[in-house]
Short mmCIF file of all heavy atoms in Angstrom, two decimals:
data_model
loop_
_atom_site.label_atom_id
_atom_site.label_comp_id
_atom_site.label_asym_id
_atom_site.label_seq_id
_atom_site.Cartn_x
_atom_site.Cartn_y
_atom_site.Cartn_z
N SER A 72 126.21 87.54 68.51
CA SER A 72 124.82 87.42 68.10
C SER A 72 124.52 88.49 67.09
O SER A 72 123.35 88.52 66.59
CB SER A 72 123.92 87.68 69.29
OG SER A 72 124.15 88.95 69.86
N GLY A 73 125.52 89.29 66.68
CA GLY A 73 125.24 90.25 65.62
C GLY A 73 124.57 91.53 66.06
O GLY A 73 124.13 92.33 65.27
N LEU A 74 124.46 91.70 67.45
CA LEU A 74 123.85 92.92 67.91
C LEU A 74 124.89 94.05 67.79
O LEU A 74 124.52 95.23 67.77
CB LEU A 74 123.45 92.77 69.38
CG LEU A 74 122.22 91.98 69.68
CD1 LEU A 74 122.01 91.84 71.21
CD2 LEU A 74 120.99 92.66 69.07
N PRO A 92 121.56 89.87 63.75
CA PRO A 92 121.09 88.66 64.48
C PRO A 92 120.53 87.60 63.51
O PRO A 92 119.60 87.84 62.82
CB PRO A 92 119.96 89.19 65.37
CG PRO A 92 120.28 90.67 65.55
CD PRO A 92 120.90 91.11 64.28
N LEU A 96 119.23 81.90 65.89
CA LEU A 96 120.03 82.12 67.13
C LEU A 96 119.17 82.77 68.19
O LEU A 96 118.35 83.69 67.84
CB LEU A 96 121.21 82.92 66.77
CG LEU A 96 122.21 83.38 67.84
CD1 LEU A 96 123.62 83.39 67.30
CD2 LEU A 96 121.82 84.68 68.47
N LEU A 98 119.36 84.56 72.27
CA LEU A 98 120.29 85.12 73.26
C LEU A 98 119.52 85.39 74.54
O LEU A 98 118.51 86.09 74.48
CB LEU A 98 121.01 86.39 72.79
CG LEU A 98 121.76 87.24 73.76
CD1 LEU A 98 122.94 86.44 74.35
CD2 LEU A 98 122.31 88.44 73.08
N PHE A 100 119.65 87.42 77.75
CA PHE A 100 120.42 88.52 78.28
C PHE A 100 120.74 88.39 79.73
O PHE A 100 119.90 87.91 80.53
CB PHE A 100 119.65 89.82 78.02
CG PHE A 100 119.55 90.23 76.60
CD1 PHE A 100 118.53 89.68 75.79
CD2 PHE A 100 120.43 91.10 76.05
CE1 PHE A 100 118.50 90.06 74.51
CE2 PHE A 100 120.34 91.45 74.70
CZ PHE A 100 119.27 90.94 73.89
N ASP A 102 120.78 91.04 81.53
CA ASP A 102 119.78 91.96 82.01
C ASP A 102 118.37 91.44 81.89
O ASP A 102 117.58 92.02 81.25
CB ASP A 102 119.94 93.25 81.21
CG ASP A 102 120.25 94.38 82.03
OD1 ASP A 102 120.16 94.27 83.27
OD2 ASP A 102 120.62 95.43 81.43
N ARG A 105 115.10 93.40 82.19
CA ARG A 105 114.85 94.45 81.25
C ARG A 105 114.65 93.85 79.87
O ARG A 105 114.36 94.63 78.91
CB ARG A 105 116.01 95.46 81.27
CG ARG A 105 115.83 96.37 82.49
CD ARG A 105 117.08 97.16 82.76
NE ARG A 105 117.53 97.86 81.59
CZ ARG A 105 118.79 98.28 81.49
NH1 ARG A 105 119.73 98.11 82.46
NH2 ARG A 105 119.12 98.95 80.39
N SER A 106 114.80 92.56 79.69
CA SER A 106 114.57 91.99 78.38
C SER A 106 113.15 91.44 78.23
O SER A 106 112.79 90.99 77.20
CB SER A 106 115.58 90.88 78.10
OG SER A 106 115.21 89.73 78.62
N LEU A 107 112.38 91.50 79.30
CA LEU A 107 110.98 91.09 79.26
C LEU A 107 110.13 92.34 78.95
O LEU A 107 110.38 93.41 79.51
CB LEU A 107 110.55 90.44 80.60
CG LEU A 107 111.27 89.18 80.99
CD1 LEU A 107 110.78 88.61 82.33
CD2 LEU A 107 111.08 88.05 79.87
N MET A 108 109.08 92.15 78.12
CA MET A 108 108.20 93.25 77.94
C MET A 108 107.26 93.36 79.13
O MET A 108 106.47 92.47 79.35
CB MET A 108 107.30 93.02 76.62
CG MET A 108 108.03 92.48 75.44
SD MET A 108 108.99 93.69 74.58
CE MET A 108 110.31 92.67 73.85
N PRO A 109 107.31 94.50 79.84
CA PRO A 109 106.52 94.55 81.03
C PRO A 109 105.02 94.64 80.81
O PRO A 109 104.22 94.35 81.73
CB PRO A 109 106.99 95.89 81.74
CG PRO A 109 107.77 96.61 80.73
CD PRO A 109 108.15 95.62 79.68
N TRP A 110 104.63 94.94 79.56
CA TRP A 110 103.22 94.98 79.27
C TRP A 110 102.65 93.68 78.77
O TRP A 110 101.43 93.56 78.41
CB TRP A 110 102.91 96.09 78.26
CG TRP A 110 103.87 95.98 77.02
CD1 TRP A 110 103.65 95.23 75.90
CD2 TRP A 110 105.09 96.64 76.88
NE1 TRP A 110 104.71 95.41 75.06
CE2 TRP A 110 105.60 96.28 75.64
CE3 TRP A 110 105.81 97.53 77.69
CZ2 TRP A 110 106.84 96.79 75.18
CZ3 TRP A 110 107.02 98.04 77.26
CH2 TRP A 110 107.51 97.65 76.01
N LEU A 119 105.63 85.99 71.83
CA LEU A 119 106.02 87.07 70.85
C LEU A 119 107.02 86.65 69.79
O LEU A 119 106.76 86.79 68.63
CB LEU A 119 106.44 88.30 71.63
CG LEU A 119 106.76 89.51 70.86
CD1 LEU A 119 105.58 89.92 69.95
CD2 LEU A 119 107.15 90.67 71.72
N PRO A 120 108.18 85.98 70.19
CA PRO A 120 109.11 85.58 69.09
C PRO A 120 108.52 84.49 68.23
O PRO A 120 109.06 84.24 67.12
CB PRO A 120 110.33 85.12 69.90
CG PRO A 120 110.14 85.56 71.31
CD PRO A 120 108.68 85.72 71.50
N ARG A 122 105.69 84.32 66.83
CA ARG A 122 104.82 84.80 65.75
C ARG A 122 105.39 84.55 64.41
O ARG A 122 104.74 84.25 63.43
CB ARG A 122 104.44 86.23 66.00
CG ARG A 122 103.51 86.36 67.22
CD ARG A 122 103.33 87.83 67.57
NE ARG A 122 102.72 88.62 66.50
CZ ARG A 122 101.40 88.68 66.33
NH1 ARG A 122 100.57 88.04 67.09
NH2 ARG A 122 100.89 89.41 65.29
N ARG A 123 106.72 84.80 64.27
CA ARG A 123 107.38 84.68 62.91
C ARG A 123 107.46 83.24 62.55
O ARG A 123 107.78 82.94 61.36
CB ARG A 123 108.69 85.40 62.86
CG ARG A 123 109.78 84.59 63.64
CD ARG A 123 110.96 85.39 63.94
NE ARG A 123 111.68 85.83 62.78
CZ ARG A 123 113.04 85.94 62.73
NH1 ARG A 123 113.74 85.56 63.80
NH2 ARG A 123 113.68 86.38 61.67
N PHE A 153 106.08 92.05 86.52
CA PHE A 153 106.19 92.67 87.82
C PHE A 153 105.63 91.90 88.98
O PHE A 153 105.81 92.22 90.12
CB PHE A 153 105.60 94.10 87.78
CG PHE A 153 104.13 94.17 87.44
CD1 PHE A 153 103.25 93.95 88.44
CD2 PHE A 153 103.69 94.37 86.19
CE1 PHE A 153 101.85 93.99 88.18
CE2 PHE A 153 102.32 94.39 85.92
CZ PHE A 153 101.41 94.22 86.87
N ARG A 167 111.51 81.63 77.21
CA ARG A 167 111.26 82.26 75.93
C ARG A 167 112.26 81.73 74.90
O ARG A 167 111.90 81.42 73.77
CB ARG A 167 111.36 83.77 76.02
CG ARG A 167 111.22 84.53 74.71
CD ARG A 167 111.08 85.97 74.95
NE ARG A 167 112.29 86.52 75.57
CZ ARG A 167 112.38 87.79 76.01
NH1 ARG A 167 111.36 88.62 75.89
NH2 ARG A 167 113.48 88.25 76.54
N ALA A 168 113.53 81.62 75.36
CA ALA A 168 114.55 81.17 74.42
C ALA A 168 114.35 79.68 74.08
O ALA A 168 114.50 79.23 72.95
CB ALA A 168 115.92 81.33 75.05
N TYR A 171 111.54 79.12 71.65
CA TYR A 171 111.90 79.59 70.25
C TYR A 171 112.65 78.43 69.50
O TYR A 171 112.65 78.42 68.27
CB TYR A 171 112.89 80.76 70.43
CG TYR A 171 113.21 81.54 69.24
CD1 TYR A 171 112.25 82.24 68.57
CD2 TYR A 171 114.56 81.59 68.74
CE1 TYR A 171 112.58 83.00 67.41
CE2 TYR A 171 114.88 82.34 67.64
CZ TYR A 171 113.84 83.03 66.95
OH TYR A 171 114.21 83.78 65.86
N ASP C 146 114.09 101.17 76.50
CA ASP C 146 115.15 100.37 77.07
C ASP C 146 115.97 99.67 75.97
O ASP C 146 115.35 98.93 75.21
CB ASP C 146 114.58 99.30 78.06
CG ASP C 146 115.67 98.79 78.91
OD1 ASP C 146 116.80 98.51 78.38
OD2 ASP C 146 115.46 98.61 80.15
N PRO C 147 117.30 99.91 75.85
CA PRO C 147 118.04 99.31 74.80
C PRO C 147 117.95 97.79 74.89
O PRO C 147 118.08 97.10 73.85
CB PRO C 147 119.48 99.80 74.95
CG PRO C 147 119.48 100.54 76.29
CD PRO C 147 118.04 100.89 76.63
N THR C 148 117.88 97.19 76.13
CA THR C 148 117.78 95.78 76.18
C THR C 148 116.49 95.25 75.52
O THR C 148 116.52 94.20 74.89
CB THR C 148 117.82 95.31 77.68
OG1 THR C 148 118.93 95.93 78.30
CG2 THR C 148 117.99 93.82 77.81
N LEU C 149 115.45 96.00 75.64
CA LEU C 149 114.16 95.58 75.04
C LEU C 149 114.33 95.60 73.49
O LEU C 149 113.87 94.68 72.84
CB LEU C 149 113.05 96.52 75.42
CG LEU C 149 112.32 96.21 76.72
CD1 LEU C 149 111.10 97.11 76.76
CD2 LEU C 149 111.86 94.77 76.64
N ALA C 151 117.08 95.38 71.82
CA ALA C 151 117.97 94.33 71.44
C ALA C 151 117.21 92.97 71.42
O ALA C 151 117.48 92.16 70.56
CB ALA C 151 119.17 94.28 72.40
N THR C 152 116.37 92.76 72.44
CA THR C 152 115.62 91.54 72.46
C THR C 152 114.80 91.34 71.16
O THR C 152 114.70 90.31 70.56
CB THR C 152 114.70 91.51 73.72
OG1 THR C 152 115.45 91.77 74.84
CG2 THR C 152 113.96 90.20 73.81
N ALA C 153 114.15 92.48 70.80
CA ALA C 153 113.33 92.46 69.55
C ALA C 153 114.25 92.05 68.38
O ALA C 153 113.77 91.29 67.54
CB ALA C 153 112.71 93.79 69.34
N ARG C 154 115.43 92.62 68.32
CA ARG C 154 116.27 92.28 67.18
C ARG C 154 116.65 90.80 67.22
O ARG C 154 116.60 90.14 66.14
CB ARG C 154 117.57 93.15 67.21
CG ARG C 154 117.38 94.55 66.78
CD ARG C 154 118.65 95.24 66.69
NE ARG C 154 119.54 94.68 65.68
CZ ARG C 154 120.84 94.92 65.55
NH1 ARG C 154 121.45 95.66 66.50
NH2 ARG C 154 121.57 94.49 64.63
N ILE C 155 117.06 90.34 68.39
CA ILE C 155 117.46 88.94 68.46
C ILE C 155 116.40 88.01 67.98
O ILE C 155 116.61 87.07 67.23
CB ILE C 155 117.80 88.56 69.92
CG1 ILE C 155 119.20 89.17 70.28
CG2 ILE C 155 117.79 87.11 70.20
CD1 ILE C 155 120.37 88.44 69.60
N TYR C 156 115.17 88.26 68.44
CA TYR C 156 114.06 87.34 68.08
C TYR C 156 113.39 87.71 66.80
O TYR C 156 112.28 87.27 66.47
CB TYR C 156 113.09 87.28 69.25
CG TYR C 156 113.64 86.49 70.40
CD1 TYR C 156 113.85 87.19 71.60
CD2 TYR C 156 113.93 85.19 70.37
CE1 TYR C 156 114.37 86.46 72.70
CE2 TYR C 156 114.44 84.47 71.41
CZ TYR C 156 114.66 85.12 72.60
OH TYR C 156 115.18 84.43 73.68
N GLY C 157 114.05 88.59 66.03
CA GLY C 157 113.48 88.94 64.73
C GLY C 157 112.09 89.52 64.77
O GLY C 157 111.31 89.27 63.91
N ILE C 158 111.82 90.28 65.85
CA ILE C 158 110.50 90.94 65.91
C ILE C 158 110.66 92.29 65.18
O ILE C 158 111.31 93.25 65.63
CB ILE C 158 110.11 91.18 67.39
CG1 ILE C 158 110.05 89.88 68.10
CG2 ILE C 158 108.83 91.87 67.46
CD1 ILE C 158 110.17 90.00 69.62
N ASP C 162 104.88 93.89 64.10
CA ASP C 162 104.91 93.30 65.50
C ASP C 162 105.74 94.25 66.37
O ASP C 162 105.45 94.49 67.49
CB ASP C 162 105.57 91.91 65.42
CG ASP C 162 104.54 90.88 65.27
OD1 ASP C 162 103.30 91.22 65.15
OD2 ASP C 162 104.84 89.71 65.21
N ARG C 166 103.81 95.84 69.35
CA ARG C 166 103.99 95.01 70.57
C ARG C 166 105.26 95.46 71.33
O ARG C 166 105.45 95.00 72.50
CB ARG C 166 104.09 93.57 70.24
CG ARG C 166 102.75 93.01 70.06
CD ARG C 166 102.73 91.74 69.22
NE ARG C 166 101.57 91.68 68.46
CZ ARG C 166 100.46 90.96 68.84
NH1 ARG C 166 100.54 90.30 69.92
NH2 ARG C 166 99.39 90.91 68.09
N VAL C 167 106.10 96.18 70.70
CA VAL C 167 107.30 96.69 71.46
C VAL C 167 107.28 98.13 71.58
O VAL C 167 107.32 98.71 72.72
CB VAL C 167 108.63 96.14 70.85
CG1 VAL C 167 109.83 96.55 71.58
CG2 VAL C 167 108.60 94.56 70.71
N PRO C 170 103.78 100.13 72.91
CA PRO C 170 103.53 99.90 74.36
C PRO C 170 104.65 100.55 75.21
O PRO C 170 104.35 101.14 76.25
CB PRO C 170 103.49 98.40 74.56
CG PRO C 170 103.30 97.89 73.21
CD PRO C 170 103.83 98.82 72.19
N GLY C 171 105.88 100.46 74.81
CA GLY C 171 106.98 100.97 75.58
C GLY C 171 106.98 102.51 75.64
O GLY C 171 107.41 103.07 76.60
N ALA C 246 97.80 99.85 82.74
CA ALA C 246 97.80 99.18 84.05
C ALA C 246 99.16 98.56 84.40
O ALA C 246 99.68 98.67 85.51
CB ALA C 246 96.75 98.03 84.01
N TRP C 247 99.81 97.94 83.41
CA TRP C 247 101.10 97.34 83.63
C TRP C 247 102.15 98.34 84.13
O TRP C 247 102.99 98.09 85.00
CB TRP C 247 101.67 96.67 82.37
CG TRP C 247 101.96 97.68 81.27
CD1 TRP C 247 101.10 98.05 80.21
CD2 TRP C 247 103.20 98.40 81.05
NE1 TRP C 247 101.70 98.95 79.46
CE2 TRP C 247 102.92 99.22 79.89
CE3 TRP C 247 104.41 98.49 81.68
CZ2 TRP C 247 103.89 100.05 79.40
CZ3 TRP C 247 105.32 99.33 81.20
CH2 TRP C 247 105.09 100.14 80.08
N HIS C 250 101.49 99.38 87.82
CA HIS C 250 101.85 98.26 88.71
C HIS C 250 103.43 98.20 88.73
O HIS C 250 104.01 98.04 89.81
CB HIS C 250 101.30 96.96 88.31
CG HIS C 250 99.78 96.89 88.54
ND1 HIS C 250 99.28 97.02 89.81
CD2 HIS C 250 98.81 96.74 87.74
CE1 HIS C 250 97.98 97.00 89.66
NE2 HIS C 250 97.69 96.82 88.38
N ALA C 251 103.98 98.29 87.58
CA ALA C 251 105.47 98.12 87.53
C ALA C 251 106.17 99.17 88.25
O ALA C 251 107.15 98.90 89.03
CB ALA C 251 105.94 98.09 85.97
N SER C 254 105.66 98.55 92.09
CA SER C 254 106.38 97.54 92.68
C SER C 254 107.86 97.80 92.66
O SER C 254 108.66 97.19 93.39
CB SER C 254 106.09 96.16 92.03
OG SER C 254 106.46 96.15 90.68
#
Side-chain angles (χ1 to χ4, degrees):
Chain A
S72 60
L74 284 175
L96 180 145
L98 169 60
F100 289 84
D102 239 347
R105 286 164 50 200
S106 84
L107 299 177
M108 317 283 153
W110 48 87
L119 185 55
R122 288 169 62 85
R123 75 197 294 215
F153 61 83
R167 177 171 61 187
Y171 190 66
Chain C
D146 195 319
T148 311
L149 272 189
T152 306
R154 282 187 67 196
I155 282 289
Y156 288 114
I158 302 160
D162 270 2
R166 279 157 213 263
V167 181
W247 65 267
H250 291 298
S254 61

